[in-house]
Every structure is written in C-alpha cells, then in structure tokens.
Amino acid sequence: MTLDDLDTPTLVIDEVVARQNLERMAARAKARGFALRPHTKTHKTPYWARAQAALGSSGLTVAKLGEADVMVAAGFLDLLIAYPIIGPQKQRHLARLIQAGLRPTVSLDSREAADSLEQVGQMTDSVIGVLVEVDSGFHRCGLPPGPAVADLARYVESLPHLRWDGLMVFGGHMSRERDPVVLRRLVHEEDEVVGTLVATLRSSDLSPRIVSTGGTPQAACMDEIQHATELRPGTYIYNDVATVRSGAAAWEDCAATVLATVVSRPDPRWAVVDAGSKALSSDGHPDGGHGAIVGRPDLVVTRLSEEHGILEERAGGQVDLAIGERIRIVPNHVCTAVAQHDAAWLIGADGALTVLPIAGRGRVR
Amino acid sequence: MTLDDLDTPTLVIDEVVARQNLERMAARAKARGFALRPHTKTHKTPYWARAQAALGSSGLTVAKLGEADVMVAAGFLDLLIAYPIIGPQKQRHLARLIQAGLRPTVSLDSREAADSLEQVGQMTDSVIGVLVEVDSGFHRCGLPPGPAVADLARYVESLPHLRWDGLMVFGGHMSRERDPVVLRRLVHEEDEVVGTLVATLRSSDLSPRIVSTGGTPQAACMDEIQHATELRPGTYIYNDVATVRSGAAAWEDCAATVLATVVSRPDPRWAVVDAGSKALSSDGHPDGGHGAIVGRPDLVVTRLSEEHGILEERAGGQVDLAIGERIRIVPNHVCTAVAQHDAAWLIGADGALTVLPIAGRGRVR
C-alpha cells in the first residue's frame, strides 16, 4: 500500500523525520543538562510517548486529565498536569488517577487551586507536587513574576498534602514569532525574568527544585536558557508552519502533513482540495495562509471552509493543478490539526504504511 | 443531575430551543412551497435527522461520504452529497453506499467529476442524480453562471448512468454578513442570478427539476427567493454568533453552548476558562471575539489557545468572575464547535440531561 491508495484528506506522519526530531532534541537537552518532559498534546499517542521515554525523557506533560487517562492507561505514571484542578468533577478524576498509580505534578497560580488540590491529596492520602505558574509575557495563566509567587509557594508549602516543587512558565507568545533573532532575544529575556525571580525566592529561603519552561521555539533556543531546569516542548516531534517560521525548525523537519486531493477547478485562478478546517483546523498564522504545500512554495491555501481548501498562486496567476491530483499540506499549527483526526497513517523507513490511532484526541476535559 | 454536575468544558444543547428552530423553519418552508433538505453537518446526529424527517424534510444533505455512512446506517437513504466524488477510494465508497440502499444525488462542477460518478453508476448498475454546482459569489466550487453550466448539464445527460436533476448554489460568503439589510439584498441578488440562469437553460430545453440553495442566512430570507425549489440550511438547528449577527436568528434561538469553568484569575483584567479551541474551534468572526457569553454582553472571549479561553471586560475594566464560577459560551461557528466533541449533553424540556452522541464527528472523508 502506498500514499496513492489512501483516501483523502488524511493525516500522514513521516516516522523517520519524527524520530530524528525526537533524537535531536533529546541529545541537545541531555548535552545541556536539561530535563526533557515533552508535552503530549501534539502527538496524543502512547506510541510516541514510548519513543520519548526511550530517549530519556524525565516524564511527560499533559494539559487535561483526559489526556492523563490515556497516558496512565499506557503505563506513564510521572506526569506534569499543566493545568489547575478546579471543580469537584476534576478533583474526583485526579483522585481516581492517583489511585491508579499516577504520581502527578500540577501547575497552579491561585490559593483556590491550591486548596482544591489539597483536597485531592486528602482524598487519596497522598502528597502532590506543585509548580507555581508564572506569567512570562503570554498573559494567560500565571502570576506576575513578583512577590505573589513567593506568597503562593509558601501557601502551598503550608498545606499538608502538597509539596512545592518549583516554577512553571509558558511563553506562548513566542510560538508565532517570525524572526529567529527576535525569538532568541525573547527566550533570553524570559530566562532573565526567571533568573531574577529564582534569585529573589532563594534569598527568601524558597529554592525551586524544578524550573520548567515550555514551547518548541524556546527549546530550540535552549542555549539562551540558564535558569530553567526542564523543557516541555510538544510541537518539535512533528513541527509545522509556525515552528519553521520562528526559525525553530526547517521544512524538512516537518513530519506531519495532510494529504489532499484536488476536487474542483472552476476557475484558472484557484483549485479546491478536499482538506478544510476539519482536516487542518482553523488556526491561522501571522504570515497568512492555511498551511504550506509541500514542494509548491508558489501556491498558498488562501481560504478554508470545513471541507474545502482554496489554493491560489502566490503572485495571483493561474494554478496548474488538475482534478484528481494530490498535494500534501504542512499545517499552520500541527497540534490543532492532529486534534481533528481519530487516526493518522505512519510512513515507516521502508515506506510501509501503518495506522497510528490518536488515542488522546478529543480529551478536552 | 443538573448542569452543575457536569465536568467542563462540555457542549450543551437546549432541546426545546433546537426543536423550535426546526419547527419554525419547516413551517416557513412548507408555507412558501420550498423543499427542505437540511444539511446535517451542524448536528451530525441521526437523532436530529429523525426530528427533521418528522417535520417533513425532503431528504438530507451531507458533505462527505463518511457523513453519509452515519445517515445510511440510521436508515436515511435520500441524501444529497454536496461534494464531487473524485478518486477511486471515494468511487468505491459511494458504490458500497448505493449497494446498501442509498439513493444519492451528487453535486459536481466538472466533466472529470461527471466521468468519475458515471463509473460509480456503472459499478452499481444504477442511475445517479446530479446537480451542477453554480458559483453565486462564494468562489469555492461551482461554475460561473454562464454557458459552461448548460454544457456540463448536457454532458451529464449524455452519460447513461447519470441523470441531470438541476442546479445547486452555496453563497457561503453570506454566512458572516453582519447587516440584515445587506443580507436580504445578497439573497435577492443570488436569486436573480439563479433566475436568469434557469431562464437561459429553459430556452435551451434544459429544465432543472431541482434548484437547491444553501445556508441558514439564505433560508432565513426565503421571502426573497423566487427561483430556488429547495433550501439546505444546517446551522438553523442550533444557531451561533454568525447567524445572530447576520440577523437570521436571535440570541434566544441559540441552542448550543459550551459550558466552561473559570480556572485562573491571575490579573483583575482577565479571567481564564477551561474552554479553548478544542471546545469551541478556532473559527473567528469579523466582529472579533471567540463566542458570546450567555447573559454577559459586557465580557468578550478575546483569545483562545487549545485548552484556555481568555475573557476580558469589553470596556477594558476589571472582570468580576471568581475561580470555579461557570459560564456558557455561544460559539462563533457552531458547526466547527460541534465537530470538536464526541458527545453533547441534551437538556430536555423537563431539565433532564441525556447524552447525545455526535455520531458524525470526525467524518472528514
């Protein structure tokens, strides 16, 4: 069976490229002394989690407890849950996972979330590790890097079923950076902020054992990082338009593409393919377009609807694709593209195709 | 069980509102003499397809054959497949469905697609109905409304296993219109274009039996439509920000919301909820924002990442939501939001909650 035999649109993963990406990151992190705790939100599969573990990852990261379910069922018990546990449903869910063997670390940024997690510790008679989340400029979750961090760390330490392990930052604003020089500067600046904060905490007898920083662009710039101890990249396994545009990867490092077929040519100026937002997700990119067409830098996916992608020639000329022709599209944001698919096709080193179930898809809770 | 018992984020459907939406559209279409062939891409469930059939729909519309699988398995055999059938995998797939009892009508806009469909007719020894798709301004699929339409209709008629049934238009550009007056004018203009085309075809002895027009905004303006015979709205069952902003529905007609919990309050100016693009999809709206918060017009979802939504006060002031508080968000585009969920909760007239599996989710092929 070859790619020509596959129905479209379908997600295709180049196993050789993905493994190279994993190996390169693992080697660099090891050489620089960083713990590597990959975020599984990109691949969402125990298959790749095992490959990451075999390469020496210190554990895994998940965002939601439903993602933890998948990884715990596959035997991964050292997980950072990078999300505050709020509400009785999530408290009971985490308690069940702990009873199943999970040894979680949880990030949080409020006393309310600490109190909630303390109750889970009580319910399970366990001590749960905590990273206090710090806002390094993304302005999503995270306390500003000031006295509130020490206050919350001390509060966590005061609770009998919690253990303050350190800090977590996620500079998500760097994900769409398009200038590699600016990216390096932003990573350096985040590290400076973290370094100042850690020094302040140490002077108050608060020594973080873990300082965890997220993101593939950040991990790609790990030479700029002095004060973090742990990297949590996710996208690096597959890469996408955003990581390439940021300078964190090259096009040949993009392992995941959506295979699509030209289904309509109503006008010389555009072609319609059968991959829309249900195959690629709607996530945009500041450069415009909805993905990069492999081998065809002259073409742009100018519009998506749910089941259609519109391809135009970059300079506004005629498009030379025929009905029935197939293309491969590198998604703008591979995590959200993968999240649309129940399964992908894995192309092995020998060209053989095997099904890769995306077991963590749809785990929104 | 009440909404308070549900884990979040979760998709919640108000059954009373959805049924009212179905009944109102069915009654209006019947009074005006339109066939109603709802697009199932919004609800993706046999449950609602049965309700639409009970209200007299003339059949259903699907975009992809995988969606047809779900509806054929539930006993719906009169389907418009509003998508050209290109490639041997899709030919075999459609042939299997015909052998299972499907009586398809298929839209197409090229001789290549007609030849492909003719082969399916040969494979199954059946005659397949065809609508020639015409571009009414969306510039996706569809021939320009000129002589090429008659040429393709004649070509379809020349093929022994195809039957030319008429025309299909989809004015998708109207979905995001924000001025009800402009919307009515656009619907009227599309109808004029269709009317001129039909008159030209008739003068060439080509009489379309079906003239099918799509879209909830168009169906809402059916009083402007003289020349179409069939309406294919989808979104009208649930409605969303886009249909409300277009004037096609009111906020109280929005049946689908994403229930979310406030998980972080790191700054007085924003709150973070646990619904991100994995619960709402990334589809934007020209008015900005990522959905409307029920009962809180003063708040805006300014940003989404996969698992987080950022809520801000419209005037830039402080947000008054506490950690643990719950909100309900009307999605910008309910079809893509529904497409993220394996199941929804249906709130019945008595307030009881039942699970509604979204059987057609993920049917991208």
Side-chain angles (χ1 to χ4, degrees), chain A residues 74-108:
Chain A
F76 295 96
L77 302 177
D78 177 0
L79 301 181
L80 167 61
I81 297 161
Y83 214 87
I85 302 301
I86 302 294
Q89 297 83 9
K90 289 193 171 56
Q91 288 178 313
R92 289 193 296 266
H93 191 166
L94 179 55
R96 286 196 302 275
L97 282 166
I98 291 171
Q99 281 150 0
L102 175 67
R103 302 181 305 274
T105 308
V106 178
S107 71
L108 51 80

Side-chain angles (χ1 to χ4, degrees), chain B residues 178-200:
Chain B
R178 287 171 291 167
D179 183 334
V181 176
V182 173
L183 174 64
R184 276 223 309 282
R185 181 170 57 72
L186 290 171
V187 173
H188 181 78
E189 286 173 4
E190 176 181 90
D191 191 63
E192 294 278 296
V193 167
V194 168
T196 305
L197 178 61
V198 169
T200 311

Side-chain angles (χ1 to χ4, degrees), chain A residues 227-280:
Chain A
H227 299 100
T229 65
E230 178 180 275
L231 307 175
R232 304 187 317 278
T235 311
Y236 77 109
I237 180 170
Y238 294 155
N239 292 306
D240 54 20
V241 169
T243 52
V244 172
R245 297 268 187 239
S246 76
W251 290 116
E252 56 266 31
D253 303 325
C254 291
T257 54
V258 171
L259 181 70
T261 301
V262 177
V263 296
S264 171
R265 286 306 322 269
D267 190 289
R269 293 167 297 176
W270 70 84
V272 184
V273 296
D274 57 2
S277 67
K278 271 175 64 181
L280 288 161

Side-chain angles (χ1 to χ4, degrees), chain B residues 149-151 153-154 157 164 198 200-208:
Chain B
V149 176
D151 289 349
R154 283 200 205 286
E157 287 204 327
W164 179 63
V198 169
T200 311
L201 291 171
R202 288 219 171 100
S203 71
S204 318
D205 283 328
L206 283 164
S207 284

Side-chain angles (χ1 to χ4, degrees), chain B residues 286-309:
Chain B
D287 281 354
H290 291 278
I293 301 155
V294 175
R296 293 302 301 266
D298 55 319
L299 300 179
V300 189
V301 186
T302 51
R303 283 186 291 150
L304 291 183
S305 42
E306 283 149 86
E307 306 286 11
H308 303 78

